Amino acid sequence: GAPWKVSKDLMTTLNIAVVVVGRTNPYCSSPLGGDGSCVLGDPFEEVRGAGSLSLVDSDCSLTMDIIAQRIIQNATQYTVRNQVKSSQEHEYHMSKEFVPEA
């Protein structure tokens, strides 16, 4: 997976000049820290300090939290669907009989 923080090493290694994010910066939309800070820290701290962070306006309300919820929801639906299919297949195989040809 991708690293949480955009480090100077990552920027140098991949020759990244600018990191662009939407103004609805979702990395900390539901902070876990009691003081309102993100427990994982600011992923853009080094980029922001280097002046390489660019914010853009967006009408899109899609955030990482929404995407994560969709993945979880779809994974659950997929699991339930496959459990039903598996059960049906098992029942079919258990009730299957040999039918001699006439």
Side-chain angles (χ1 to χ4, degrees):
W4 173 252
K5 292 191 176 196
V6 181
S7 66
K8 182 178 179 183
D9 180 59
L10 180 68
M11 300 266 304
T12 303
T13 302
L14 298 177
N15 197 24
I16 298 170
V18 178
V19 174
V20 180
V21 296
R23 287 203 184 274
T24 53
N25 202 335
Y27 77 89
C28 213
S29 61
S30 51
L32 302 176
D35 62 354
S37 64
C38 184
V39 171
L40 297 175
D42 180 0
F44 307 114
E45 182 177 5
E46 288 188 45
V47 178
R48 189 177 285 115
S52 300
L53 183 66
S54 179
L55 301 175
V56 294
D57 292 321
S58 174
D59 293 334
C60 181
S61 61
L62 192 62
T63 65
M64 289 190 300
D65 292 338
I66 292 170
I67 293 170
Q69 286 301 321
R70 287 182 183 178
I71 290 170
I72 292 167
Q73 179 183 10
N74 290 335
T76 303
Q77 290 172 352
Y78 176 81
T79 301
V80 169
R81 184 190 72 198
N82 283 350
Q83 286 174 342
V84 169
K85 281 185 174 184
S86 179
S87 175
Q88 290 171 341
E89 287 176 5
H90 180 71
E91 287 177 27
Y92 167 76
H93 288 294
M94 297 309 289
S95 65
K96 192 164 70 164
E97 295 179 359
F98 174 76
V99 179
E101 293 185 28

